[in-house]
Amino acid sequence: MDVQITIRRGRAGEGFRALAEEKARKLEKYEPRLIRVELLFERDGGRSVGEVRAMVPGLPALVSKAEAESRRTALDRVMQKAARQLRKERSRRVEHKALPVTGLVE
């Protein structure tokens, strides 16, 4: 999985970048087919805005946004939203399969 981190209108240390990449890689447990995660953080009027774009083959990009006072809090909130979206999308695909034909015939 490829992780891309972009910081606009500010700076972030290596510690924040490492934490963001670690959290992004944890999204794979909700969707194993995840191929790319793009993280975008920017300062907007004194608040931090975080955005996650998760790319899964065969699906449109799943986009999550969150706003908070600090960049770290925005990261936590946006990752929770992204995880929720990935879990929901995967459950739609996996749980709605028909029973095998051999199981229906006696």
PDB file of all heavy atoms in Angstrom, residues 35-73:
ATOM      1  N   ILE A  35      -5.117   0.137  -1.947  1.00  0.00           N
ATOM      2  CA  ILE A  35      -3.857   0.278  -2.675  1.00  0.00           C
ATOM      3  C   ILE A  35      -3.161   1.609  -2.405  1.00  0.00           C
ATOM      4  O   ILE A  35      -1.944   1.703  -2.542  1.00  0.00           O
ATOM      5  CB  ILE A  35      -4.044   0.102  -4.193  1.00  0.00           C
ATOM      6  CG1 ILE A  35      -5.039   1.113  -4.741  1.00  0.00           C
ATOM      7  CG2 ILE A  35      -4.433  -1.308  -4.522  1.00  0.00           C
ATOM      8  CD1 ILE A  35      -5.120   1.147  -6.237  1.00  0.00           C
ATOM      9  N   ARG A  36      -3.904   2.639  -2.029  1.00  0.00           N
ATOM     10  CA  ARG A  36      -3.292   3.953  -1.829  1.00  0.00           C
ATOM     11  C   ARG A  36      -4.108   4.769  -0.825  1.00  0.00           C
ATOM     12  O   ARG A  36      -5.337   4.751  -0.855  1.00  0.00           O
ATOM     13  CB  ARG A  36      -3.232   4.692  -3.151  1.00  0.00           C
ATOM     14  CG  ARG A  36      -2.569   6.035  -3.087  1.00  0.00           C
ATOM     15  CD  ARG A  36      -2.521   6.651  -4.492  1.00  0.00           C
ATOM     16  NE  ARG A  36      -1.964   7.965  -4.471  1.00  0.00           N
ATOM     17  CZ  ARG A  36      -0.683   8.249  -4.666  1.00  0.00           C
ATOM     18  NH1 ARG A  36       0.158   7.282  -4.902  1.00  0.00           N
ATOM     19  NH2 ARG A  36      -0.258   9.469  -4.633  1.00  0.00           N
ATOM     20  N   VAL A  37      -3.399   5.492   0.044  1.00  0.00           N
ATOM     21  CA  VAL A  37      -4.029   6.403   0.991  1.00  0.00           C
ATOM     22  C   VAL A  37      -3.312   7.745   0.876  1.00  0.00           C
ATOM     23  O   VAL A  37      -2.089   7.807   0.985  1.00  0.00           O
ATOM     24  CB  VAL A  37      -3.943   5.877   2.447  1.00  0.00           C
ATOM     25  CG1 VAL A  37      -4.492   6.901   3.412  1.00  0.00           C
ATOM     26  CG2 VAL A  37      -4.677   4.570   2.591  1.00  0.00           C
ATOM     27  N   GLU A  38      -4.083   8.789   0.613  1.00  0.00           N
ATOM     28  CA  GLU A  38      -3.529  10.139   0.530  1.00  0.00           C
ATOM     29  C   GLU A  38      -4.030  10.939   1.731  1.00  0.00           C
ATOM     30  O   GLU A  38      -5.231  11.032   1.960  1.00  0.00           O
ATOM     31  CB  GLU A  38      -3.975  10.828  -0.758  1.00  0.00           C
ATOM     32  CG  GLU A  38      -3.469  10.153  -2.007  1.00  0.00           C
ATOM     33  CD  GLU A  38      -4.036  10.766  -3.270  1.00  0.00           C
ATOM     34  OE1 GLU A  38      -4.867  11.704  -3.178  1.00  0.00           O
ATOM     35  OE2 GLU A  38      -3.657  10.289  -4.352  1.00  0.00           O
ATOM     36  N   LEU A  39      -3.098  11.505   2.490  1.00  0.00           N
ATOM     37  CA  LEU A  39      -3.426  12.325   3.650  1.00  0.00           C
ATOM     38  C   LEU A  39      -3.085  13.770   3.332  1.00  0.00           C
ATOM     39  O   LEU A  39      -1.987  14.048   2.846  1.00  0.00           O
ATOM     40  CB  LEU A  39      -2.621  11.878   4.866  1.00  0.00           C
ATOM     41  CG  LEU A  39      -2.826  10.435   5.316  1.00  0.00           C
ATOM     42  CD1 LEU A  39      -1.716  10.017   6.239  1.00  0.00           C
ATOM     43  CD2 LEU A  39      -4.152  10.302   6.002  1.00  0.00           C
ATOM     44  N   LEU A  40      -4.000  14.671   3.607  1.00  0.00           N
ATOM     45  CA  LEU A  40      -3.782  16.088   3.377  1.00  0.00           C
ATOM     46  C   LEU A  40      -4.145  16.836   4.649  1.00  0.00           C
ATOM     47  O   LEU A  40      -5.242  16.666   5.190  1.00  0.00           O
ATOM     48  CB  LEU A  40      -4.660  16.589   2.219  1.00  0.00           C
ATOM     49  CG  LEU A  40      -4.710  18.088   2.002  1.00  0.00           C
ATOM     50  CD1 LEU A  40      -3.358  18.601   1.534  1.00  0.00           C
ATOM     51  CD2 LEU A  40      -5.788  18.442   1.012  1.00  0.00           C
ATOM     52  N   PHE A  41      -3.211  17.669   5.127  1.00  0.00           N
ATOM     53  CA  PHE A  41      -3.450  18.495   6.311  1.00  0.00           C
ATOM     54  C   PHE A  41      -3.140  19.931   5.962  1.00  0.00           C
ATOM     55  O   PHE A  41      -2.153  20.215   5.294  1.00  0.00           O
ATOM     56  CB  PHE A  41      -2.563  18.043   7.481  1.00  0.00           C
ATOM     57  CG  PHE A  41      -2.892  16.673   7.961  1.00  0.00           C
ATOM     58  CD1 PHE A  41      -2.187  15.576   7.500  1.00  0.00           C
ATOM     59  CD2 PHE A  41      -3.931  16.466   8.839  1.00  0.00           C
ATOM     60  CE1 PHE A  41      -2.498  14.299   7.919  1.00  0.00           C
ATOM     61  CE2 PHE A  41      -4.258  15.194   9.262  1.00  0.00           C
ATOM     62  CZ  PHE A  41      -3.543  14.111   8.802  1.00  0.00           C
ATOM     63  N   GLU A  42      -4.001  20.840   6.420  1.00  0.00           N
ATOM     64  CA  GLU A  42      -3.749  22.259   6.190  1.00  0.00           C
ATOM     65  C   GLU A  42      -4.316  23.077   7.340  1.00  0.00           C
ATOM     66  O   GLU A  42      -5.212  22.635   8.050  1.00  0.00           O
ATOM     67  CB  GLU A  42      -4.326  22.715   4.856  1.00  0.00           C
ATOM     68  CG  GLU A  42      -5.825  22.609   4.721  1.00  0.00           C
ATOM     69  CD  GLU A  42      -6.312  23.032   3.350  1.00  0.00           C
ATOM     70  OE1 GLU A  42      -5.792  24.021   2.821  1.00  0.00           O
ATOM     71  OE2 GLU A  42      -7.199  22.368   2.824  1.00  0.00           O
ATOM     72  N   ARG A  43      -3.758  24.265   7.503  1.00  0.00           N
ATOM     73  CA  ARG A  43      -4.244  25.211   8.492  1.00  0.00           C
ATOM     74  C   ARG A  43      -5.242  26.123   7.800  1.00  0.00           C
ATOM     75  O   ARG A  43      -4.978  26.633   6.724  1.00  0.00           O
ATOM     76  CB  ARG A  43      -3.107  26.052   9.064  1.00  0.00           C
ATOM     77  CG  ARG A  43      -2.059  25.285   9.818  1.00  0.00           C
ATOM     78  CD  ARG A  43      -2.528  24.729  11.113  1.00  0.00           C
ATOM     79  NE  ARG A  43      -2.797  25.791  12.076  1.00  0.00           N
ATOM     80  CZ  ARG A  43      -3.359  25.586  13.254  1.00  0.00           C
ATOM     81  NH1 ARG A  43      -3.704  24.372  13.595  1.00  0.00           N
ATOM     82  NH2 ARG A  43      -3.588  26.577  14.064  1.00  0.00           N
ATOM     83  N   ASP A  44      -6.393  26.319   8.428  1.00  0.00           N
ATOM     84  CA  ASP A  44      -7.420  27.159   7.838  1.00  0.00           C
ATOM     85  C   ASP A  44      -8.016  28.024   8.944  1.00  0.00           C
ATOM     86  O   ASP A  44      -8.837  27.555   9.731  1.00  0.00           O
ATOM     87  CB  ASP A  44      -8.492  26.295   7.175  1.00  0.00           C
ATOM     88  CG  ASP A  44      -9.506  27.114   6.405  1.00  0.00           C
ATOM     89  OD1 ASP A  44      -9.168  28.236   6.004  1.00  0.00           O
ATOM     90  OD2 ASP A  44     -10.633  26.610   6.200  1.00  0.00           O
ATOM     91  N   GLY A  45      -7.580  29.263   9.010  1.00  0.00           N
ATOM     92  CA  GLY A  45      -8.124  30.183  10.007  1.00  0.00           C
ATOM     93  C   GLY A  45      -7.838  29.766  11.429  1.00  0.00           C
ATOM     94  O   GLY A  45      -8.692  29.905  12.307  1.00  0.00           O
ATOM     95  N   GLY A  46      -6.672  29.217  11.704  1.00  0.00           N
ATOM     96  CA  GLY A  46      -6.322  28.819  13.057  1.00  0.00           C
ATOM     97  C   GLY A  46      -6.747  27.407  13.421  1.00  0.00           C
ATOM     98  O   GLY A  46      -6.440  26.923  14.499  1.00  0.00           O
ATOM     99  N   ARG A  47      -7.449  26.747  12.545  1.00  0.00           N
ATOM    100  CA  ARG A  47      -7.876  25.364  12.794  1.00  0.00           C
ATOM    101  C   ARG A  47      -7.167  24.442  11.807  1.00  0.00           C
ATOM    102  O   ARG A  47      -6.805  24.855  10.720  1.00  0.00           O
ATOM    103  CB  ARG A  47      -9.382  25.233  12.647  1.00  0.00           C
ATOM    104  CG  ARG A  47     -10.125  26.032  13.719  1.00  0.00           C
ATOM    105  CD  ARG A  47     -11.596  25.831  13.707  1.00  0.00           C
ATOM    106  NE  ARG A  47     -12.065  24.472  13.854  1.00  0.00           N
ATOM    107  CZ  ARG A  47     -12.251  23.844  15.014  1.00  0.00           C
ATOM    108  NH1 ARG A  47     -11.970  24.443  16.138  1.00  0.00           N
ATOM    109  NH2 ARG A  47     -12.735  22.615  15.049  1.00  0.00           N
ATOM    110  N   SER A  48      -6.991  23.195  12.190  1.00  0.00           N
ATOM    111  CA  SER A  48      -6.377  22.201  11.312  1.00  0.00           C
ATOM    112  C   SER A  48      -7.467  21.384  10.635  1.00  0.00           C
ATOM    113  O   SER A  48      -8.422  20.944  11.284  1.00  0.00           O
ATOM    114  CB  SER A  48      -5.473  21.265  12.107  1.00  0.00           C
ATOM    115  OG  SER A  48      -4.344  21.959  12.556  1.00  0.00           O
ATOM    116  N   VAL A  49      -7.307  21.191   9.349  1.00  0.00           N
ATOM    117  CA  VAL A  49      -8.245  20.388   8.569  1.00  0.00           C
ATOM    118  C   VAL A  49      -7.493  19.181   8.040  1.00  0.00           C
ATOM    119  O   VAL A  49      -6.417  19.318   7.458  1.00  0.00           O
ATOM    120  CB  VAL A  49      -8.838  21.203   7.392  1.00  0.00           C
ATOM    121  CG1 VAL A  49      -9.784  20.345   6.578  1.00  0.00           C
ATOM    122  CG2 VAL A  49      -9.531  22.441   7.920  1.00  0.00           C
ATOM    123  N   GLY A  50      -8.052  18.003   8.247  1.00  0.00           N
ATOM    124  CA  GLY A  50      -7.449  16.772   7.748  1.00  0.00           C
ATOM    125  C   GLY A  50      -8.363  16.109   6.742  1.00  0.00           C
ATOM    126  O   GLY A  50      -9.586  16.150   6.882  1.00  0.00           O
ATOM    127  N   GLU A  51      -7.767  15.529   5.711  1.00  0.00           N
ATOM    128  CA  GLU A  51      -8.539  14.833   4.678  1.00  0.00           C
ATOM    129  C   GLU A  51      -7.825  13.540   4.320  1.00  0.00           C
ATOM    130  O   GLU A  51      -6.603  13.509   4.203  1.00  0.00           O
ATOM    131  CB  GLU A  51      -8.661  15.714   3.447  1.00  0.00           C
ATOM    132  CG  GLU A  51      -9.457  15.095   2.331  1.00  0.00           C
ATOM    133  CD  GLU A  51      -9.604  16.023   1.146  1.00  0.00           C
ATOM    134  OE1 GLU A  51      -9.910  17.216   1.349  1.00  0.00           O
ATOM    135  OE2 GLU A  51      -9.416  15.539   0.013  1.00  0.00           O
ATOM    136  N   VAL A  52      -8.596  12.473   4.166  1.00  0.00           N
ATOM    137  CA  VAL A  52      -8.061  11.174   3.757  1.00  0.00           C
ATOM    138  C   VAL A  52      -8.786  10.739   2.498  1.00  0.00           C
ATOM    139  O   VAL A  52     -10.019  10.790   2.433  1.00  0.00           O
ATOM    140  CB  VAL A  52      -8.262  10.102   4.859  1.00  0.00           C
ATOM    141  CG1 VAL A  52      -7.886   8.733   4.355  1.00  0.00           C
ATOM    142  CG2 VAL A  52      -7.474  10.441   6.089  1.00  0.00           C
ATOM    143  N   ARG A  53      -8.018  10.324   1.493  1.00  0.00           N
ATOM    144  CA  ARG A  53      -8.570   9.716   0.281  1.00  0.00           C
ATOM    145  C   ARG A  53      -8.050   8.290   0.221  1.00  0.00           C
ATOM    146  O   ARG A  53      -6.841   8.072   0.141  1.00  0.00           O
ATOM    147  CB  ARG A  53      -8.133  10.471  -0.965  1.00  0.00           C
ATOM    148  CG  ARG A  53      -8.755  11.808  -1.113  1.00  0.00           C
ATOM    149  CD  ARG A  53      -8.308  12.466  -2.408  1.00  0.00           C
ATOM    150  NE  ARG A  53      -8.868  13.796  -2.495  1.00  0.00           N
ATOM    151  CZ  ARG A  53     -10.038  14.055  -3.071  1.00  0.00           C
ATOM    152  NH1 ARG A  53     -10.728  13.083  -3.613  1.00  0.00           N
ATOM    153  NH2 ARG A  53     -10.499  15.284  -3.105  1.00  0.00           N
ATOM    154  N   ALA A  54      -8.949   7.329   0.275  1.00  0.00           N
ATOM    155  CA  ALA A  54      -8.580   5.916   0.242  1.00  0.00           C
ATOM    156  C   ALA A  54      -8.991   5.338  -1.111  1.00  0.00           C
ATOM    157  O   ALA A  54     -10.146   5.466  -1.515  1.00  0.00           O
ATOM    158  CB  ALA A  54      -9.268   5.163   1.369  1.00  0.00           C
ATOM    159  N   MET A  55      -8.032   4.726  -1.805  1.00  0.00           N
ATOM    160  CA  MET A  55      -8.284   4.152  -3.122  1.00  0.00           C
ATOM    161  C   MET A  55      -8.360   2.626  -3.025  1.00  0.00           C
ATOM    162  O   MET A  55      -7.418   1.983  -2.559  1.00  0.00           O
ATOM    163  CB  MET A  55      -7.175   4.483  -4.109  1.00  0.00           C
ATOM    164  CG  MET A  55      -6.748   5.897  -4.300  1.00  0.00           C
ATOM    165  SD  MET A  55      -7.897   7.197  -4.049  1.00  0.00           S
ATOM    166  CE  MET A  55      -6.828   8.573  -4.363  1.00  0.00           C
ATOM    167  N   VAL A  56      -9.494   2.094  -3.470  1.00  0.00           N
ATOM    168  CA  VAL A  56      -9.714   0.654  -3.521  1.00  0.00           C
ATOM    169  C   VAL A  56     -10.092   0.320  -4.963  1.00  0.00           C
ATOM    170  O   VAL A  56     -10.942   0.999  -5.544  1.00  0.00           O
ATOM    171  CB  VAL A  56     -10.851   0.229  -2.559  1.00  0.00           C
ATOM    172  CG1 VAL A  56     -11.106  -1.259  -2.632  1.00  0.00           C
ATOM    173  CG2 VAL A  56     -10.531   0.641  -1.135  1.00  0.00           C
ATOM    174  N   PRO A  57      -9.475  -0.696  -5.560  1.00  0.00           N
ATOM    175  CA  PRO A  57      -9.803  -1.037  -6.944  1.00  0.00           C
ATOM    176  C   PRO A  57     -11.288  -1.337  -7.124  1.00  0.00           C
ATOM    177  O   PRO A  57     -11.897  -2.042  -6.320  1.00  0.00           O
ATOM    178  CB  PRO A  57      -8.979  -2.288  -7.223  1.00  0.00           C
ATOM    179  CG  PRO A  57      -7.913  -2.292  -6.200  1.00  0.00           C
ATOM    180  CD  PRO A  57      -8.456  -1.571  -5.011  1.00  0.00           C
ATOM    181  N   GLY A  58     -11.876  -0.773  -8.158  1.00  0.00           N
ATOM    182  CA  GLY A  58     -13.276  -1.021  -8.465  1.00  0.00           C
ATOM    183  C   GLY A  58     -14.251  -0.127  -7.736  1.00  0.00           C
ATOM    184  O   GLY A  58     -15.463  -0.242  -7.934  1.00  0.00           O
ATOM    185  N   LEU A  59     -13.765   0.760  -6.884  1.00  0.00           N
ATOM    186  CA  LEU A  59     -14.634   1.660  -6.128  1.00  0.00           C
ATOM    187  C   LEU A  59     -14.180   3.100  -6.345  1.00  0.00           C
ATOM    188  O   LEU A  59     -13.003   3.345  -6.581  1.00  0.00           O
ATOM    189  CB  LEU A  59     -14.549   1.363  -4.625  1.00  0.00           C
ATOM    190  CG  LEU A  59     -15.039   0.021  -4.138  1.00  0.00           C
ATOM    191  CD1 LEU A  59     -14.770  -0.105  -2.650  1.00  0.00           C
ATOM    192  CD2 LEU A  59     -16.514  -0.141  -4.419  1.00  0.00           C
ATOM    193  N   PRO A  60     -15.101   4.049  -6.235  1.00  0.00           N
ATOM    194  CA  PRO A  60     -14.657   5.451  -6.257  1.00  0.00           C
ATOM    195  C   PRO A  60     -13.848   5.738  -4.986  1.00  0.00           C
ATOM    196  O   PRO A  60     -13.984   5.036  -3.985  1.00  0.00           O
ATOM    197  CB  PRO A  60     -15.965   6.244  -6.275  1.00  0.00           C
ATOM    198  CG  PRO A  60     -17.023   5.300  -5.852  1.00  0.00           C
ATOM    199  CD  PRO A  60     -16.548   3.917  -6.136  1.00  0.00           C
ATOM    200  N   ALA A  61     -13.023   6.754  -5.026  1.00  0.00           N
ATOM    201  CA  ALA A  61     -12.200   7.103  -3.870  1.00  0.00           C
ATOM    202  C   ALA A  61     -13.099   7.456  -2.681  1.00  0.00           C
ATOM    203  O   ALA A  61     -14.061   8.197  -2.825  1.00  0.00           O
ATOM    204  CB  ALA A  61     -11.292   8.274  -4.209  1.00  0.00           C
ATOM    205  N   LEU A  62     -12.782   6.899  -1.531  1.00  0.00           N
ATOM    206  CA  LEU A  62     -13.516   7.218  -0.311  1.00  0.00           C
ATOM    207  C   LEU A  62     -12.831   8.408   0.344  1.00  0.00           C
ATOM    208  O   LEU A  62     -11.642   8.356   0.651  1.00  0.00           O
ATOM    209  CB  LEU A  62     -13.526   6.028   0.638  1.00  0.00           C
ATOM    210  CG  LEU A  62     -14.219   4.774   0.108  1.00  0.00           C
ATOM    211  CD1 LEU A  62     -14.015   3.619   1.057  1.00  0.00           C
ATOM    212  CD2 LEU A  62     -15.691   5.037  -0.092  1.00  0.00           C
ATOM    213  N   VAL A  63     -13.566   9.499   0.558  1.00  0.00           N
ATOM    214  CA  VAL A  63     -12.992  10.733   1.084  1.00  0.00           C
ATOM    215  C   VAL A  63     -13.584  11.020   2.458  1.00  0.00           C
ATOM    216  O   VAL A  63     -14.799  10.984   2.644  1.00  0.00           O
ATOM    217  CB  VAL A  63     -13.275  11.916   0.133  1.00  0.00           C
ATOM    218  CG1 VAL A  63     -12.677  13.192   0.691  1.00  0.00           C
ATOM    219  CG2 VAL A  63     -12.742  11.626  -1.252  1.00  0.00           C
ATOM    220  N   SER A  64     -12.703  11.319   3.423  1.00  0.00           N
ATOM    221  CA  SER A  64     -13.116  11.689   4.779  1.00  0.00           C
ATOM    222  C   SER A  64     -12.448  13.005   5.134  1.00  0.00           C
ATOM    223  O   SER A  64     -11.281  13.213   4.813  1.00  0.00           O
ATOM    224  CB  SER A  64     -12.660  10.630   5.782  1.00  0.00           C
ATOM    225  OG  SER A  64     -13.126   9.366   5.413  1.00  0.00           O
ATOM    226  N   LYS A  65     -13.184  13.883   5.814  1.00  0.00           N
ATOM    227  CA  LYS A  65     -12.638  15.163   6.255  1.00  0.00           C
ATOM    228  C   LYS A  65     -12.973  15.372   7.719  1.00  0.00           C
ATOM    229  O   LYS A  65     -14.047  14.970   8.182  1.00  0.00           O
ATOM    230  CB  LYS A  65     -13.238  16.318   5.461  1.00  0.00           C
ATOM    231  CG  LYS A  65     -12.657  16.516   4.104  1.00  0.00           C
ATOM    232  CD  LYS A  65     -13.197  17.792   3.501  1.00  0.00           C
ATOM    233  CE  LYS A  65     -12.509  18.073   2.183  1.00  0.00           C
ATOM    234  NZ  LYS A  65     -12.944  19.342   1.602  1.00  0.00           N
ATOM    235  N   ALA A  66     -12.049  16.033   8.429  1.00  0.00           N
ATOM    236  CA  ALA A  66     -12.281  16.379   9.828  1.00  0.00           C
ATOM    237  C   ALA A  66     -11.543  17.667  10.139  1.00  0.00           C
ATOM    238  O   ALA A  66     -10.516  17.972   9.543  1.00  0.00           O
ATOM    239  CB  ALA A  66     -11.811  15.269  10.752  1.00  0.00           C
ATOM    240  N   GLU A  67     -12.071  18.416  11.093  1.00  0.00           N
ATOM    241  CA  GLU A  67     -11.492  19.693  11.485  1.00  0.00           C
ATOM    242  C   GLU A  67     -11.334  19.696  12.997  1.00  0.00           C
ATOM    243  O   GLU A  67     -12.193  19.181  13.718  1.00  0.00           O
ATOM    244  CB  GLU A  67     -12.429  20.816  11.046  1.00  0.00           C
ATOM    245  CG  GLU A  67     -11.888  22.187  11.238  1.00  0.00           C
ATOM    246  CD  GLU A  67     -12.830  23.238  10.682  1.00  0.00           C
ATOM    247  OE1 GLU A  67     -13.443  23.010   9.625  1.00  0.00           O
ATOM    248  OE2 GLU A  67     -12.949  24.279  11.332  1.00  0.00           O
ATOM    249  N   ALA A  68     -10.230  20.263  13.477  1.00  0.00           N
ATOM    250  CA  ALA A  68      -9.979  20.324  14.913  1.00  0.00           C
ATOM    251  C   ALA A  68      -9.021  21.460  15.225  1.00  0.00           C
ATOM    252  O   ALA A  68      -8.486  22.098  14.323  1.00  0.00           O
ATOM    253  CB  ALA A  68      -9.403  18.999  15.402  1.00  0.00           C
ATOM    254  N   GLU A  69      -8.794  21.693  16.499  1.00  0.00           N
ATOM    255  CA  GLU A  69      -7.883  22.753  16.928  1.00  0.00           C
ATOM    256  C   GLU A  69      -6.428  22.402  16.641  1.00  0.00           C
ATOM    257  O   GLU A  69      -5.630  23.262  16.324  1.00  0.00           O
ATOM    258  CB  GLU A  69      -8.055  23.027  18.428  1.00  0.00           C
ATOM    259  CG  GLU A  69      -9.382  23.631  18.790  1.00  0.00           C
ATOM    260  CD  GLU A  69      -9.590  25.007  18.174  1.00  0.00           C
ATOM    261  OE1 GLU A  69      -8.608  25.774  18.070  1.00  0.00           O
ATOM    262  OE2 GLU A  69     -10.723  25.298  17.777  1.00  0.00           O
ATOM    263  N   SER A  70      -6.074  21.122  16.775  1.00  0.00           N
ATOM    264  CA  SER A  70      -4.688  20.710  16.535  1.00  0.00           C
ATOM    265  C   SER A  70      -4.621  19.701  15.396  1.00  0.00           C
ATOM    266  O   SER A  70      -5.600  19.020  15.082  1.00  0.00           O
ATOM    267  CB  SER A  70      -4.080  20.104  17.804  1.00  0.00           C
ATOM    268  OG  SER A  70      -4.632  18.834  18.045  1.00  0.00           O
ATOM    269  N   ARG A  71      -3.460  19.595  14.798  1.00  0.00           N
ATOM    270  CA  ARG A  71      -3.265  18.666  13.679  1.00  0.00           C
ATOM    271  C   ARG A  71      -3.407  17.218  14.150  1.00  0.00           C
ATOM    272  O   ARG A  71      -3.950  16.380  13.453  1.00  0.00           O
ATOM    273  CB  ARG A  71      -1.889  18.904  13.066  1.00  0.00           C
ATOM    274  CG  ARG A  71      -1.682  18.158  11.786  1.00  0.00           C
ATOM    275  CD  ARG A  71      -0.342  18.458  11.158  1.00  0.00           C
ATOM    276  NE  ARG A  71      -0.340  19.825  10.649  1.00  0.00           N
ATOM    277  CZ  ARG A  71       0.682  20.657  10.752  1.00  0.00           C
ATOM    278  NH1 ARG A  71       1.783  20.271  11.345  1.00  0.00           N
ATOM    279  NH2 ARG A  71       0.621  21.869  10.260  1.00  0.00           N
ATOM    280  N   ARG A  72      -2.939  16.931  15.343  1.00  0.00           N
ATOM    281  CA  ARG A  72      -3.005  15.575  15.889  1.00  0.00           C
ATOM    282  C   ARG A  72      -4.462  15.140  16.101  1.00  0.00           C
ATOM    283  O   ARG A  72      -4.845  14.023  15.765  1.00  0.00           O
ATOM    284  CB  ARG A  72      -2.230  15.541  17.205  1.00  0.00           C
ATOM    285  CG  ARG A  72      -2.359  14.284  18.006  1.00  0.00           C
ATOM    286  CD  ARG A  72      -1.612  13.135  17.349  1.00  0.00           C
ATOM    287  NE  ARG A  72      -1.921  11.883  17.980  1.00  0.00           N
ATOM    288  CZ  ARG A  72      -1.205  11.319  18.927  1.00  0.00           C
ATOM    289  NH1 ARG A  72      -0.117  11.901  19.350  1.00  0.00           N
ATOM    290  NH2 ARG A  72      -1.571  10.168  19.435  1.00  0.00           N
ATOM    291  N   THR A  73      -5.279  16.030  16.640  1.00  0.00           N
ATOM    292  CA  THR A  73      -6.697  15.719  16.851  1.00  0.00           C
ATOM    293  C   THR A  73      -7.407  15.546  15.523  1.00  0.00           C
ATOM    294  O   THR A  73      -8.243  14.648  15.370  1.00  0.00           O
ATOM    295  CB  THR A  73      -7.372  16.827  17.683  1.00  0.00           C
ATOM    296  OG1 THR A  73      -6.625  17.032  18.875  1.00  0.00           O
ATOM    297  CG2 THR A  73      -8.793  16.455  18.044  1.00  0.00           C
TER     298      THR A  73
END
